Amino acid sequence: MDQYPRPAEGTWTEHYPDLGTGLISYEDCVSPEFAADESEAVFKRAWLNVGRVEDVPRAGSYVTRELTFAKTSLIVVRDAQGQVRAFHNMCRHRGNKIVWTNAPSEETSGSCRTFTCKYHGWRYGLDGTCNFVQQESEFFDFDKSAFGLIPVHCDVWAGFIFVNLAESPPQSLRDFLGTMVTALDGYPFDRMTERYDFSADIACNWKLFADAFQEYYHVPILHSQEATPATRAKTQSMGFEAPHYQLDGPHRMVSTSGAPRRSWPEDFQYPIEVATRSGLFGPWDEPDLGDDLPGVNPGGIPKWAIANFQVFPNLEILIWETGWYMLYRYWPTSPTTHRYEGTLFFVPSTNASERAARECAAVMFKEFALQDAGTLEGTQKALESPAAQTVFPLSDQEILVRHLHKSVGDWVDAYRRERSEAVRHA
Ligand code: FES
Ligand SMILES: [Fe+2]
């Protein structure tokens, strides 16, 4: 008997007929022309998560974000009224980069009352207003109020800070996120402030790494070393099937179920997992978050364990039943490379054992992500070879892979249509 809440008829993929079931091309992961249009069509139009409100806790707290795909750097700052704002990190005098610490190309963070340009000392308030110009009277017909920092659309949902580089975004952040994602309103993200951050420059297109987290059935195979021989023997012969997939506009999610790790037999755990009561699946002893966690299990699956929300284009929020979550972000740095960011968020530990449990989860996660990343650099190279002038099959469990490439393709097609219309009318 099928134990999973499958669609009434057919497969997950056929449940969303727009997706089709055909072979797909990975030209979108190798073509420089596609990458250039993707930057314009997707990354300069979609709402992009650049941090959490905890990154800018007080008035004057700021972080900078280097957005290579847009050839820009942003300042994200909390102003005196508590509003989170974003500006291009560029002085309006002669274009100097205003905020950096060790090197202009490196991201930084800090706290200040005004931003002062290192070149000729122009100063800007936390709301971007230019409020001091060196030797102001020597400029011509000059009104410094017209030379504030250039703002970028910025909004916050559930403590996640998003920016939008479009001149006028076609949708508000909330409308863009849609009902599946915003159903998480009220989830206690704000309580999970103990963080472990990782980032890596990876030699593959950003979508290939996103794809590695969009299905789970590669886990018993690619990540077999993460499991003890006893677990491996069992899971590899069983295969793996996730019980619920859901699409909402350009966003998607997959849920998995599973018994809590603490209930597994001892020979299914490594000694470090037993010693720290933690591992890849996170600490075994969970914080009390209450019973009613909104939005995390839209499929209503029994024994729900993980919800993995893929927020278009480049954010993943992975929520664990055991009371913690992870974020992944993928930032294209060229057609065939990207910067990956992974962060684990926990309710703060209150003693040494809780801290050790969180550290163990973080270390295991890093190892796991490295296994994916190492593989994908090989995938990228193979897809750039002449052998890749072909198309590839995707199974039903790869529905989210199909959906990501289709969503990106649809946005790029729409952009290309608009561009050719504009040329025709010029
Ligand atoms: S470039 Fe910033 S003050 Fe001159
Ligand atoms: Fe993986």
Side-chain angles (χ1 to χ4, degrees), residues 91-96 98 117-122 124:
C91 181
R92 293 295 303 280
H93 177 214
R94 276 164 56 192
N96 188 37
I98 297 177
C117 180
K118 302 178 202 331
Y119 205 167
H120 311 92
W122 283 31
Y124 302 89

Side-chain angles (χ1 to χ4, degrees), residues 11 79-80 110 123 167 172 279 295 312 317 330 332 367 377 417 419 421 425:
T11 62
D79 73 13
R123 293 203 289 266
E167 214 169 283
S172 68
F312 187 80
I317 307 172
Y330 318 94
E367 171 63 24
E377 296 196 357
R417 274 197 305 276
R419 189 174 54 190
E421 284 287 301
H425 288 108

Side-chain angles (χ1 to χ4, degrees), residues 209 211-216 218-219 222-223 368-369 371-373 375-376:
F209 209 6
D211 287 347
F213 296 111
Q214 301 205 96
E215 49 83 6
Y216 287 110
H218 76 271
V219 173
L222 177 62
H223 303 292
F368 204 77
Q371 289 167 8
D372 286 308
T375 306
L376 291 170

Side-chain angles (χ1 to χ4, degrees), residues 309-329:
F309 291 84
Q310 309 264 346
V311 181
F312 187 80
N314 67 333
L315 170 69
E316 177 174 331
I317 307 172
L318 200 158
I319 301 173
W320 297 76
E321 189 273 332
T322 41
W324 62 291
Y325 78 100
M326 290 165 140
L327 281 192
Y328 305 159
R329 284 182 289 237

Side-chain angles (χ1 to χ4, degrees), residues 103-375:
S105 59
E106 288 176 15
E107 294 181 340
T108 188
S109 62
S111 177
C112 66
R113 282 201 267 179
T114 43
F115 295 109
T116 304
C117 180
K118 302 178 202 331
Y119 205 167
H120 311 92
W122 283 31
R123 293 203 289 266
Y124 302 89
L126 302 177
D127 62 356
T129 312
C130 178
N131 51 28
F132 174 80
V133 167
Q134 181 72 23
Q135 288 154 264
E136 184 175 348
S137 62
E138 296 177 16
F139 287 84
F140 303 94
D141 300 323
F142 181 71
D143 174 6
K144 66 175 176 298
S145 71
F147 289 88
L149 295 176
I150 298 170
V152 171
H153 297 279
C154 181
D155 202 353
V156 175
W157 166 76
F160 296 95
I161 302 169
F162 287 78
V163 296
N164 192 310
L165 295 169
E167 214 169 283
S168 65
Q171 287 177 296
S172 68
L173 171 62
R174 205 174 170 83
D175 288 347
F176 170 75
L177 293 173
T179 52
M180 183 182 77
V181 174
T182 56
L184 293 167
D185 271 333
Y187 183 84
F189 294 111
D190 57 336
R191 288 187 55 194
M192 299 175 196
T193 52
E194 183 172 320
R195 292 166 57 151
Y196 296 83
D197 291 296
F198 300 95
S199 69
D201 290 304
I202 298 180
C204 75
N205 182 276
W206 67 278
K207 295 186 288 302
L208 293 181
F209 209 6
D211 287 347
F213 296 111
Q214 301 205 96
E215 49 83 6
Y216 287 110
Y217 82 101
H218 76 271
V219 173
I221 300 156
L222 177 62
H223 303 292
S224 61
Q225 297 303 318
E226 293 278 322
T228 64
T231 324
R232 221 176 298 155
K234 185 153 183 212
T235 52
Q236 282 189 339
S237 59
M238 277 168 44
F240 179 82
E241 190 163 4
H244 184 74
Y245 298 90
Q246 193 167 322
L247 311 179
D248 183 19
H251 317 293
R252 64 203 83 87
M253 69 93 57
V254 51
S255 279
T256 60
S257 50
R261 196 75 177 207
R262 61 178 170 270
S263 66
W264 290 24
E266 192 142 310
D267 63 340
F268 277 45
Q269 323 275 5
Y270 280 120
I272 185 74
E273 296 176 279
V274 177
T276 58
R277 295 184 61 74
S278 180
L280 180 65
F281 293 66
W284 299 356
D285 302 309
E286 53 204 77
D288 182 9
L289 299 178
D291 293 332
D292 194 21
L293 297 177
V296 293
N297 184 9
I301 59 173
K303 293 192 194 155
W304 168 71
I306 309 173
N308 178 342
F309 291 84
Q310 309 264 346
V311 181
F312 187 80
N314 67 333
L315 170 69
E316 177 174 331
I317 307 172
L318 200 158
I319 301 173
W320 297 76
E321 189 273 332
T322 41
W324 62 291
Y325 78 100
M326 290 165 140
L327 281 192
Y328 305 159
R329 284 182 289 237
Y330 318 94
W331 299 104
T333 47
S334 83
T336 57
T337 59
H338 75 282
R339 161 67 60 100
Y340 167 72
E341 295 172 341
T343 306
L344 297 81
F345 295 81
F346 301 101
V347 170
S349 39
T350 57
N351 57 43
S353 347
E354 285 181 8
R355 177 66 188 266
R358 285 152 177 72
E359 296 273 357
C360 180
V363 168
M364 299 272 274
F365 157 72
K366 189 169 137 191
E367 171 63 24
F368 204 77
L370 277 171
Q371 289 167 8
D372 286 308
T375 306

